[in-house]
Amino acid sequence: MVVQLIADEIARSGGWIGFDRYMQLALYAPALGYYTAGAIKLGSSGDFVTAPELSPLFSQTLARQVGEILSVTGGDVLELGAGSGRMAADVLQALAQSGPLPARYLILEVSGELVARQRQRLRALAPHLASRVAWIDRAPSAFRGVIVCNEVLDALPVRLIRWEADGICERGVAWSGDAFAWDDRPLIEQPLLTQARRLNPPPPYLSEIGCVGPALVGTLARALERGALLLVDYGFGEREYYHPQRSQGTLMCHFRHRAHDDPFFLPGLQDITSHIDFSAVARAAIDGGVEMLGYSTQANFLINLGITDLMALTSAADAATYLPLAAQAQQLLSPAEMGELFKVIALGRGIDHSLSGFSSGDMSRLL
Ligand SMILES: C[S@@+](CC[C@H](N)C(=O)[O-])C[C@H]1O[C@@H](n2cnc3c(N)ncnc32)[C@H](O)[C@@H]1O
C-alpha cells in the first residue's frame, strides 16, 4: 500500500519528508499512486470532471488556436498528461476537419496505466487518426509546434510554506505510528527561502510554492525552437495567489466529486491538487527564453475563438443535442463555474502575430 511506502520513506529520511515528496508518492508511486494505480479518475464515474471530459466544445475550440499557431510554425502537437485521451481525440478530429493536421500528436504521460487507456480511447474515438499519436516518456530536448496541457500543472507536487511572525517554516509530513501528521521545520533551503521572503504574505499564513510545475514549464520553454505552450488550469497571478485573505493556501483534494482539504485522507485513492501561480509559470517560461503571448480567463479565450459559432453548428431545434451542449458551454464559460477561475496562458517563440484566443480580455500585463 502507498501508506506503508510513504511511512517507510519517512523512517529512512529521519522522520520527516517535505510535502512535495508526500504528494509525489501519493499521486505517482509506481503502481500504487493515485494516477498510477488502476482506478478510473476522470469523468462522472471517477473523482472529478475536466473540461475536455465535460464537453467536446472545449477541445474543438482549443483546436482553433492550435491550428492557427501550427499554420505559422508547422511542426507537431505535444500534449502533456492526456488523462483519458479525450482531448487528443477531439483536437485531432477538429484539426483533421479544419487543418492543419500535424504529422505527429505526441503525448507525454507519466502514468503507464493512463497510457493504456489513452491508446484504447484513441483507437475507439479516432481510429483513422490514431497512427499519428505517439507516446514519449520524457520532455523533448527540441520541439517545433504547439505544446498543450489541461489541468496537469495543478497535479504536480508543491512545497508547503508557513510564514509566522518569528520566521518561515516548511511544512512536511511525519509518521505518528498509525497516521501521517504535519511537522514544521525552519526553512533554510535556498533558493526557496529567498522566494518565500520575497512573497512575504502577512503572518500567520500557510500556502504553497510550486516547484515541479515551473521547472517543467522552463524545460519545455527551453526545448521550444519555434511554437507555443498553451497551458490551461485553475489559478491566479502571484498578487491574488498570495492575497492576505487566502491565508490557508489552495491545497485541495478530490474524492468521488467531493472537494476537501485533507491530503492524508485515503492516500493513493484521492487526487491532491493546488491552484497555479501563473506568475511563477510565466517567469519560468520567460527564463527559458520564450515570450508571453497571452493570458486570459478560460471564458474569454473560448469566446474569442468562437465557441458560440461551434455551438451554432447544431440547430437549436434539435433539442436533444443542443440542450446538453448549451449546458456544457454554460459550465465552461460561467464565472460561477469554470469560466473565471480557469485561465489560459500562452508562451511562445518565433510567433509575430497576436493569437485569436487573446483578442479581447488579455490580462498578460497583470503578471
Ligand atoms: C488531472 S489529470 C488531467 C488529464 C487531462 N489533461 C484532462 O484534462 O482531462 C492530470 C494528468 O497529468 C498527468 N501527469 C502528471 N504529472 C505529469 C508529468 N510530469 N508529465 C506528464 N504528465 C503528467 C497525469 O498522469 C494525468 O494524466
Side-chain angles (χ1 to χ4, degrees), residues 18-231:
F19 180 74
D20 56 326
R21 184 64 186 154
Y22 174 87
M23 188 167 167
Q24 174 70 32
L25 292 171
L27 296 182
Y28 304 110
L32 296 175
Y34 177 72
Y35 282 105
T36 40
I40 291 185
K41 295 103 191 154
L42 296 125
S44 51
S45 54
D47 299 303
F48 55 92
V49 181
T50 59
E53 296 290 325
L54 174 72
S55 175
L57 285 171
F58 176 80
S59 304
Q60 289 162 0
T61 313
L62 180 78
R64 289 184 163 194
Q65 186 62 86
V66 173
E68 183 184 283
I69 300 168
L70 284 180
S71 62
V72 175
T73 63
D76 297 320
V77 173
L78 164 61
E79 181 180 351
L80 254 60
S84 74
R86 183 74 212 223
M87 186 165 112
D90 288 344
V91 166
L92 270 169
Q93 272 166 335
L95 291 176
Q97 272 190 0
S98 50
L101 186 59
R104 292 187 312 162
Y105 190 107
L106 302 172
I107 295 180
L108 173 59
E109 170 59 66
V110 286
S111 162
E113 194 268 331
L114 283 175
V115 168
R117 276 174 208 248
Q118 291 158 12
R119 268 187 218 286
Q120 222 178 20
R121 196 78 179 279
L122 277 151
R123 262 190 242 123
L125 292 179
H128 54 301
L129 297 166
S131 63
R132 292 176 190 263
V133 183
W135 282 262
I136 56 176
D137 53 15
R138 71 190 59 172
S141 53
F143 183 81
R144 185 162 57 92
V146 185
I147 301 175
V148 288
C149 76
N150 182 68
E151 283 205 50
V152 176
L153 299 178
D154 67 83
L156 298 181
V158 290
R159 312 284 289 259
L160 278 186
I161 307 297
R162 228 187 74 210
W163 288 262
E164 291 293 339
D166 57 356
I168 303 176
C169 292
E170 175 165 12
R171 171 156 286 193
V173 182
W175 177 249
S176 70
D178 58 359
F180 294 115
W182 294 119
D183 190 9
D184 298 346
R185 295 188 163 183
L187 177 62
I188 45 172
E189 185 188 317
Q190 289 292 7
L192 194 59
L193 178 59
T194 304
Q195 202 179 343
R197 282 194 178 129
R198 185 183 63 75
L199 292 168
N200 196 30
Y205 198 95
L206 176 70
S207 192
E208 316 83 37
I209 294 187
C211 43
V212 179
L216 177 62
V217 170
T219 301
L220 294 169
R222 278 186 287 280
L224 199 62
E225 291 173 332
R226 186 168 187 213
L229 286 153
L230 271 180
L231 315 174

Side-chain angles (χ1 to χ4, degrees), residues 56-58 60-61 64 97 299-316 322 325-326 329 333 356 359:
L57 285 171
F58 176 80
Q60 289 162 0
T61 313
R64 289 184 163 194
Q97 272 190 0
N300 278 334
F301 180 77
L302 296 176
I303 290 167
N304 288 337
L305 286 164
I307 190 172
T308 46
D309 307 342
L310 287 174
M311 270 183 68
L313 298 176
T314 302
S315 159
Y322 186 81
L325 270 188
L333 300 176
S356 299
S359 55

